[in-house]
Amino acid sequence: MTVPDLPELDVDVPVIEPEALKARIDEGEALTILDNRVPSEHEDWRIDGENVSHVNIPYFEFLDEELDESLFEELPEDEEFVVLCAKGHSSEYVAGLLIQEGYDAVALERGMNGWASIYEYTELETDGDALVAQYQRPSSGCLAYLVVDGDEAAVVDPLRYFADEYVADAKALGAELTYAVDTHIHADHISGVRTLVEDHGVTGVIPEAAEGRGVDYDTPYETIADGETRTVGDTDIEAIHTPGHTTGMTTYAVDNVLFTGDGLFIESVARPDLEDGDEGAPDAAGMLYDSLQERVLSHDDDAIVASAHFSDAAIPADDGSYTATLGELKETMNALSMPKDEFVEFILSDMPPRPANYVDIIETNLGVQESDDDRAFELELGPNNCAASNEALTN
């Protein structure tokens, strides 16, 4: 929605940075958020937290010269609340108007676009010699990983918007980023593999099994087949073909860590309908079952599952990462012990809506269509919806 020119207000509007808001939410502070986007946008994607409450009033409701008193009924009168919109423009106006009315309001800097710019770094506790760090994007639940051993590093499932961060973090750890690796052709965010190749001279790697979807890159890249490895320092990254979410889906094993991509999450399993639609979903769900039973769950119970996404239903581990051991998931996720027919029926029974703009995102990641930085950022705004359920499948 295009926001028209708004009236000028003679008031200073305080703003809160997205990272500061995230910290307050993580600390469990009770907060009220006034969302000035239209109801459909608010319902599709919003900032949630254990003690966060929402009031949704579109900004244009505040443009009348005589404001309806009912607009103020749900607003807290004796505490600060946060006003947000898509990009921060209209929410600053609304916050200023409410300050003039005597309310204690602050505007979220850059709105939901600012929220989508948060990227957090957490190191995992592993049994290997390599350092493994998880990147968390709370706005969409996207996860990426940095593997560092000696003076070499690799990034798994990088996001284009944050490409420079992986290079800088590797350098800060005394390493050069040598590989950028994707687990599959993503449907919810723009991959950073080609950007890292083009801008930083990193070697890009995609699963050999994913090429058949029509990959058409102008930039050079390598493929990795089932059982092959890439090495950073003295650490091997082994490819394990695990089709189901997509035909090219590939898990990577690094010491006792399994980068499962979108095959297995810590609170759910993959949805099987994003490559061949509803028609191909039953066969894909069967492939997913076989991949999980034969190629993932066959690892030791202390193996760490490090997926490409997390949802609001996910509970972080003690180290702050969104990871879990295979043993924990076997004990808590009943879907992993179902017979195949029951598993397929269960997975297909109640899948959430497909990710927003997923066709354009897939085509961009295949190289079939081009998206500049601004369009790429806009395409991936919103929740990821790559899991089979919005609710946790764990007990």
Side-chain angles (χ1 to χ4, degrees):
M1 175 181 291
T2 301
V3 178
D5 291 336
L6 298 171
E8 293 289 336
L9 297 176
D10 187 21
V11 60
D12 291 328
V13 178
V15 297
I16 183 171
E17 289 289 333
E19 293 80 5
L21 177 61
K22 174 70 163 47
R24 289 169 63 176
I25 293 173
D26 289 346
E27 290 168 1
E29 181 179 338
L31 287 167
T32 298
I33 293 178
L34 170 59
D35 190 336
N36 292 151
R37 296 173 299 156
V38 297
S40 60
E41 293 177 353
H42 170 75
E43 289 300 323
D44 286 345
W45 181 45
R46 62 190 185 185
I47 300 173
D48 284 317
E50 183 178 359
N51 295 311
V52 175
S53 58
H54 293 268
V55 179
N56 179 211
I57 306 174
Y59 78 93
F60 50 77
E61 298 284 352
F62 293 93
L63 296 180
D64 293 336
E65 291 186 12
E66 294 293 332
L67 294 178
D68 189 333
E69 290 298 322
S70 65
L71 293 176
F72 305 100
E73 291 177 354
E74 297 182 71
L75 300 180
E77 296 182 355
D78 55 357
E79 64 184 55
E80 179 190 85
F81 57 90
V82 179
V83 188
L84 66 79
C85 60
K87 299 179 180 180
H89 180 54
S90 60
S91 59
E92 286 198 30
Y93 168 76
V94 172
L97 194 67
L98 292 171
I99 289 170
Q100 289 183 336
E101 296 288 331
Y103 288 91
D104 187 3
V106 298
L108 178 62
E109 179 75 15
R110 293 171 288 130
M112 292 300 286
N113 281 10
W115 186 251
S117 300
I118 298 177
Y119 212 39
E120 299 179 315
Y121 172 101
T122 300
E123 293 182 4
L124 308 189
E125 297 177 1
T126 74
D127 292 342
D129 293 329
L131 179 148
V132 179
Q134 181 183 77
Y135 292 93
Q136 304 169 4
R137 192 183 196 183
S139 66
S140 63
C142 290
L143 300 172
Y145 299 89
L146 188 68
V147 180
V148 182
D149 190 356
D151 61 358
E152 294 184 326
V155 61
V156 179
D157 286 335
L159 278 65
R160 172 172 163 176
Y161 185 75
F162 301 99
D164 292 345
E165 291 198 27
Y166 311 125
V167 176
D169 287 347
K171 184 177 180 180
L173 292 165
E176 179 182 356
L177 191 66
T178 55
Y179 289 111
V181 186
D182 264 341
T183 54
H184 65 296
I185 303 300
H186 291 275
D188 70 305
H189 69 261
I190 306 301
S191 168
V193 167
R194 283 188 292 164
T195 300
L196 287 163
V197 172
E198 294 168 0
D199 294 353
H200 298 284
V202 175
T203 299
V205 181
I206 65 170
E208 181 180 77
E211 273 198 307
R213 294 190 67 182
V215 173
D216 185 17
Y217 292 167
D218 293 332
T219 53
Y221 67 92
E222 297 180 0
T223 60
I224 187 168
D226 181 46
E228 291 185 345
T229 62
R230 294 294 185 273
T231 303
V232 292
D234 294 324
T235 296
D236 287 337
I237 302 174
E238 179 189 1
I240 306 168
H241 186 213
T242 49
H245 177 64
T246 67
T247 51
M249 182 70 243
T250 295
T251 294
Y252 296 103
V254 176
D255 296 322
N256 71 320
V257 180
L258 295 173
F259 299 118
T260 54
D262 285 0
L264 176 62
F265 308 108
I266 67 168
E267 76 283 25
S268 185
V269 298
R271 64 184 305 156
D273 63 330
L274 294 184
E275 183 170 339
D276 291 323
D278 293 337
E279 184 177 340
D283 287 342
M287 283 194 293
L288 175 63
Y289 180 87
D290 293 339
S291 293
L292 292 174
Q293 294 297 324
E294 299 169 10
R295 317 221 69 193
V296 177
L297 298 177
S298 57
H299 286 79
D300 292 341
D301 281 355
D302 63 356
I304 297 171
V305 173
S307 65
H309 294 106
F310 70 98
S311 72
D312 291 337
I315 299 174
D318 291 341
D319 63 6
S321 68
Y322 287 94
T323 60
T325 66
L326 271 182
E328 290 168 340
L329 295 185
K330 288 177 183 178
E331 290 181 1
T332 60
M333 195 180 299
N334 293 335
L336 299 181
S337 59
M338 291 178 178
K340 186 172 184 177
D341 289 347
E342 184 180 347
F343 174 89
V344 171
E345 181 180 0
F346 176 69
I347 295 306
L348 299 178
S349 64
D350 188 29
M351 287 187 292
R354 294 185 175 107
N357 305 318
Y358 81 100
V359 173
D360 288 329
I361 292 174
I362 290 173
E363 291 188 351
T364 300
N365 286 332
L366 287 171
V368 175
Q369 69 169 257
E370 292 299 323
S371 298
D372 62 22
D373 289 344
D374 289 340
R375 173 170 163 74
F377 182 78
E378 292 289 336
L379 281 175
E380 60 190 18
L381 294 176
N384 64 72
N385 286 353
C386 284
S389 172
N390 279 331
E391 304 297 327
L393 300 185
T394 47
N395 297 340

